[in-house]
Amino acid sequence: MNESSWGAPPQAGDWGPPDQGAVQGAVPAGPPYDAHHAQQTRPMPIVPGTPEHGGDQETDRRAARPSGPLFRDEPTRARPHPGEMPQNPEPMPDAPQPAPPPQKKSAGRDLRAAIGVGAGLCALVAVSLFVVKAVFVGVVAVAIVVGLRELTKRLEERKGIKAPFVPLAVGGAAMIVAGYVWGSDGAWIAMALTALAVLVARMAQPPENYLRDVTAGVFAAFYVPFLATFVSMMLAADDGPWRVLTFIVITVVADTGAYAIGWRFGTHKLAPRISPGKTREGLLGAVAFAMVAGTLCMQFLIDDGTWWQGLLLGLAVSVSATLGDLGESMIKRDLGIKDMGTLLPGHGGIMDRLDSLLPTAPVVWLLLVVFVGSG
């Protein structure tokens, strides 16, 4: 077929069989014509860029068909009837899920139990402190012995360290009494004798790990009972009960301020490797609360005390209490535990309540001696 035969209108009865050389599956370009038909047609002008053969026109014809397979072996897709779901529906995009409601901060402990136990401890301290001084000395000695038991037990359970408990308990209670009766001299003598008793008591066991065990025992003697002797030395003054009350109030208020402000506004971690729950905002809260409490206590509870001394006392207590809390957190993290004990519901053990009080006692004792004398 030559180029001049394109475009002639078909005549009735001129349709014939398709060209045998056509590609199978292709749509025929049109019916063949006789020679006289070809002579009556005008030659088709050649458009520049148009291919000599009809491949593009064939493609246009195929593209113009609204439906049907492009090749014979291609399956025909049936349109679904109205109300009928297609067999393979296209996946729909996931609908946006509502954002989960914000979770409230948790205190991490049973607050009701903590408040109840705290109120009971405050009542015990107040009654023993202002009724008979010797009774309060006994309360401190019992608390120290229980704290030593918690510490030595945890050391043995978690690290296999066997610090002798009996000489520690006897020597610890003796330190508290000696500090109240003979002051700092008696406390130092009792501390030295307790360390010696630890060295001797450990000799009854095999020599393996001897140095490790006696080192832990001397550390326990200094950390728990010796620091607590400064409380009994404060008590020995004429206004001893008020000094001890000032010490306890400022320390507790500092802890409360750190907890309240840190829980509500804390975002910047103070020492995440030691205690992830403590924040810088909590430290600022401890400083502010302790300085206010120190001002009030020095002005109204301590003889010859002034408000500016209370500011300095509160600042020092907030720092020492925070360091003491971090110190015990370091010990507990090394041991892999959360609390030293379970004696006090909502608080943990005795040592978990003494962590900020123990290192604060010598600080308060020293500043009170500097500000108003030994009494």
Side-chain angles (χ1 to χ4, degrees):
M1 184 180 295
N2 55 22
E3 293 177 357
S4 62
S5 63
W6 289 98
Q11 302 294 329
D14 288 338
W15 300 99
D19 189 2
Q20 298 298 327
V23 179
Q24 184 178 2
V27 179
Y33 298 97
D34 295 336
H36 67 277
H37 289 112
Q39 296 177 357
Q40 295 178 0
T41 58
R42 293 180 299 175
M44 179 178 178
I46 300 175
V47 180
T50 304
E52 296 181 357
H53 302 284
D56 290 346
Q57 188 171 355
E58 181 70 16
T59 303
D60 294 341
R61 289 186 179 184
R62 292 178 182 178
R65 289 181 297 169
S67 62
L70 184 62
F71 300 99
R72 291 181 179 180
D73 57 351
E74 180 180 353
T76 304
R77 295 180 181 179
R79 294 183 178 180
H81 297 286
E84 180 182 357
M85 296 297 294
Q87 296 180 357
N88 297 319
E90 295 183 359
M92 298 294 293
D94 295 336
Q97 299 294 331
Q103 298 182 354
K104 297 181 179 180
K105 290 185 177 181
S106 175
R109 296 183 182 272
D110 188 350
L111 289 181
R112 292 184 178 180
I115 294 173
V117 171
L121 291 176
C122 290
L124 176 62
V125 169
V127 171
S128 60
L129 187 61
F130 289 97
V131 174
V132 180
K133 290 183 178 181
V135 175
F136 183 77
V137 173
V139 171
V140 175
V142 171
I144 291 306
V145 171
V146 175
L148 284 170
R149 180 57 180 170
E150 292 176 351
L151 180 58
T152 55
K153 185 177 180 181
R154 290 295 188 177
L155 288 174
E156 184 175 1
E157 290 176 350
R158 308 299 297 184
K159 296 291 186 177
I161 300 175
K162 299 179 180 180
F165 170 70
V166 174
L168 285 174
V170 175
M175 276 188 239
I176 302 300
V177 176
Y180 176 73
V181 177
W182 296 295
S184 58
D185 293 338
W188 277 113
I189 294 174
M191 172 65 195
L193 293 176
T194 302
L196 181 61
V198 169
L199 296 175
V200 174
R202 179 58 180 80
M203 291 179 183
Q205 299 179 9
E208 287 77 15
N209 299 320
Y210 175 81
L211 183 60
R212 182 196 65 181
D213 294 344
V214 297
T215 302
V218 173
F219 163 74
F222 174 83
Y223 179 52
V224 184
F226 180 75
L227 293 180
T229 57
F230 290 92
V231 179
S232 60
M233 286 191 287
M234 278 189 279
L235 184 64
D238 295 336
D239 58 346
W242 297 108
R243 296 193 182 201
V244 174
L245 181 63
T246 298
F247 152 69
I248 295 176
V249 167
I250 299 177
T251 307
V252 172
V253 168
D255 286 345
T256 304
Y259 174 81
I261 301 300
W263 178 76
R264 183 63 180 85
F265 303 104
T267 56
H268 301 84
K269 301 298 183 181
L270 179 62
R273 297 182 60 183
I274 301 176
S275 182
K278 292 177 177 56
T279 61
R280 300 174 187 176
E281 292 81 2
L283 176 59
L284 295 178
V287 171
F289 278 54
M291 292 179 73
V292 173
T295 300
L296 297 175
C297 290
M298 288 297 295
Q299 187 69 36
F300 298 105
L301 299 182
I302 304 300
D303 295 337
D304 301 328
T306 59
W307 62 271
W308 63 268
Q309 294 172 346
L311 290 177
L312 296 178
L313 183 62
L315 177 62
V317 167
S318 61
V319 174
S320 63
T322 302
L323 292 177
D325 202 351
L326 289 175
E328 188 178 357
S329 296
M330 195 77 168
I331 296 173
K332 291 189 289 187
R333 185 165 292 275
D334 184 27
L335 296 177
I337 58 176
K338 181 180 179 182
D339 295 323
M340 281 291 185
T342 58
L343 181 62
L344 306 176
H347 293 268
I350 290 291
M351 286 299 300
D352 297 300
R353 293 301 89 202
L354 298 179
D355 52 2
S356 56
L357 291 169
L358 290 174
T360 303
V363 174
V364 175
W365 174 82
L366 178 61
L367 289 178
L368 289 177
V369 170
V370 172
F371 290 154
V372 297
S374 60

